Amino acid sequence: MKFLVASSVLLKQISAINGVVASNPIIPILENILVELEGNQLTLTASDLQTVMTTTLDVEGVENGSIALPARLLLETLRSLPEQPVTISADQGTFGAEISTQNGRFKLSGENPIDFPRIPEVAKNQSISLSSSVLGEAIANTLLAVSNDDMRPAMTGVLIQMMGDHTNFVATDGHRLVRYRRMDIRPEAQSSLILPKKALSLLKSTLPMDDTAVKVEFSQSNAFFTFQSFSLICRIIDERFPEYENAIPKENNEILTINRMEFLSSVKRISIYSNKTTHQIRLKLSANKLTLSAEDLDYSNEANEVLACEYAGKDMEIGFNAKLISELLGNLSAKYVDIKLSEPNKAGLIIPSDQDENEDVLLLVMPVMLNSYN
């Protein structure tokens, strides 16, 4: 196998799929990227058995062939090179490879491409098409609420509910919940599936933020994404997602409207003085006034700040984890948010005040009990 390509072009494509490569894979061959040349088209594949990502690019092909090359070594070599043409050749008998540049040669040992896991066949039984910007927004809005608790595997991914007239993207870690609804994604058939965090993170970093078409196909066990020169296949999490609708309160009639950035900045400042283990802050609401406070009795630190807002409900004091609130607010782009409350011991809802007609964002955050505030 032998081909010529610009170093920056090859680096960009390898960098895009390198996130799939595990640091301590189940089988050693997965530390490699499969490199396949046919004519002038080069195909690169990375896999961890759960997620497979491929990309294709045009090169100046000399001799067809394939080899599995060590991902880390290949990536670090390309990163260290200035922009220039590079020639990569491989011996199909010994699986030795060489990177030739203007000033030097770099020899590395590859592996037999036959040992690299094959890309799974996806028996597609449903498909939808949407823009990369919409999919990217959906992933960005939900990914932060995905749980890292392997004991609850259903919550380690994002639930996608295709309802016919809209599609929901839902994630929760038990302390907060995000439901991102798109009115402009209307699949022909109703179904639901849970996609893993790693695959969605890779998509988020690779998707162009424009109207590039993304084709999404599903089978019983896999999801298949295709856009531009990339494709990604991931296993669907075969678990039952919690009945999240039951957790969303219906009677949150105490509504606070406030500038999002002013509120976020205040939460961050006040949280500096909160207990470093609990991150608890107190919100005291009264007519058109919000008082934020925190204290850390271990070090006799405390802080409070008053913000103007729109609030005509009953006086209330409620506690929240400042870290969770900050992450939720920081993930939004709206100028103002509505915070809907009912009682100090019940979940609060954060809803952007000025949403696009095609989206409906709902953030739920659990309170902390004020009697354990200190």
Side-chain angles (χ1 to χ4, degrees):
M1 181 187 75
K2 188 175 183 180
F3 62 90
L4 177 69
V5 65
S7 59
S8 60
V9 172
L10 186 58
L11 174 61
K12 180 181 178 181
Q13 300 302 95
I14 291 178
S15 297
I17 67 171
N18 185 62
V20 178
V21 181
S23 55
N24 293 298
I26 298 173
I27 52 178
I29 189 71
L30 296 179
E31 293 179 334
N32 295 269
I33 288 176
L34 180 63
V35 182
E36 300 173 289
L37 177 68
E38 185 171 341
N40 290 323
Q41 186 171 78
L42 186 72
T43 301
L44 306 170
T45 304
S47 172
D48 66 359
L49 297 183
Q50 300 298 314
T51 304
V52 181
M53 196 167 185
T54 67
T55 182
T56 58
L57 64 153
D58 292 328
V59 299
E60 188 177 320
V62 178
E63 182 180 351
N64 291 350
S66 61
I67 191 173
L69 295 177
R72 183 187 60 80
L73 199 57
L74 186 59
L75 192 62
E76 290 182 358
T77 302
L78 291 170
R79 280 176 177 165
S80 68
L81 291 174
E83 165 64 23
Q84 61 181 293
V86 296
T87 300
I88 297 182
S89 56
D91 188 314
Q92 301 294 138
T94 64
F95 305 114
E98 183 176 287
I99 303 173
S100 300
T101 69
Q102 294 173 351
N103 301 311
R105 295 187 305 162
F106 306 84
K107 291 186 176 182
L108 58 161
S109 297
E111 294 191 46
N112 193 332
I114 295 176
D115 297 331
F116 200 87
R118 295 294 93 188
I119 297 176
E121 292 291 330
V122 179
K124 299 114 179 175
N125 53 25
Q126 185 177 355
S127 66
I128 58 173
S129 183
L130 65 163
S131 75
S132 58
S133 60
V134 169
L135 181 57
E137 280 290 319
I139 295 172
N141 273 278
T142 51
L143 213 54
L144 83 163
V146 173
S147 174
N148 294 316
D149 185 359
D150 292 332
M151 299 299 291
R152 297 185 287 182
M155 294 164 61
T156 62
V158 174
L159 171 69
I160 301 179
Q161 288 180 307
M162 291 164 278
M163 309 298 288
D165 60 343
H166 67 271
T167 297
N168 292 330
F169 298 81
V170 186
T172 181
D173 60 7
H175 302 286
R176 56 189 166 180
L177 180 147
V178 178
R179 187 196 69 195
Y180 182 77
R181 176 174 292 170
R182 292 297 308 196
M183 309 301 181
D184 52 353
I185 304 178
R186 301 180 177 182
E188 295 180 0
Q190 294 190 19
S191 63
S192 65
L193 63 152
I194 306 171
L195 297 182
K197 181 178 182 178
K198 179 177 179 178
L200 292 176
S201 296
L202 287 166
L203 274 176
K204 179 175 177 289
S205 62
T206 311
L207 284 169
M209 293 307 293
D210 55 23
D211 292 328
T212 297
V214 180
K215 187 175 183 181
V216 189
E217 299 169 286
F218 309 105
S219 69
Q220 287 295 104
S221 57
N222 292 289
F224 191 92
F225 299 83
T226 307
F227 58 97
Q228 292 181 334
S229 62
F230 294 94
S231 68
L232 182 146
I233 304 174
C234 67
R235 286 193 178 277
I236 294 170
I237 298 175
D238 186 18
E239 297 285 342
R240 183 179 178 85
F241 201 81
E243 297 293 336
Y244 73 91
E245 291 284 1
N246 297 333
I248 301 175
K250 305 293 191 294
E251 302 294 329
N252 279 26
N253 299 319
E254 312 299 329
I255 303 175
L256 162 73
T257 301
I258 193 167
N259 182 285
R260 180 183 65 88
M261 283 306 300
E262 289 181 5
F263 184 36
L264 174 59
S265 297
S266 181
V267 169
K268 288 181 176 180
R269 282 192 297 272
I270 295 298
S271 68
I272 296 171
Y273 292 82
S274 67
N275 182 281
K276 296 303 179 284
T277 301
T278 64
H279 306 287
Q280 292 179 14
I281 60 171
R282 182 188 301 254
L283 276 60
K284 184 176 181 180
L285 294 85
S286 57
N288 295 328
K289 185 173 72 172
L290 171 65
T291 303
L292 294 88
S293 62
E295 59 181 326
D296 186 349
L297 293 183
D298 294 338
Y299 298 96
S300 300
N301 298 329
E302 62 178 287
N304 66 79
E305 194 165 281
V306 178
L307 298 179
C309 63
E310 293 182 20
Y311 181 71
K314 63 185 180 183
D315 289 359
M316 185 189 307
E317 288 189 46
I318 187 169
F320 286 111
N321 182 312
K323 186 177 180 181
L324 299 185
I325 291 284
S326 295
E327 289 178 351
L328 291 173
L329 291 172
N331 205 48
L332 296 174
S333 59
K335 185 174 182 180
Y336 290 91
V337 292
D338 295 331
I339 301 176
K340 299 185 177 183
L341 306 167
S342 60
E343 300 293 339
N345 62 343
K346 294 184 179 179
L349 300 178
I350 303 175
I351 299 173
S353 301
D354 46 349
Q355 299 196 60
D356 184 276
E357 62 180 6
N358 286 319
E359 65 178 0
D360 179 12
V361 184
L362 181 147
L363 314 177
L364 178 149
V365 59
M366 298 301 296
V368 294
M369 302 304 294
L370 289 176
N371 58 8
S372 62
Y373 178 71
N374 295 328

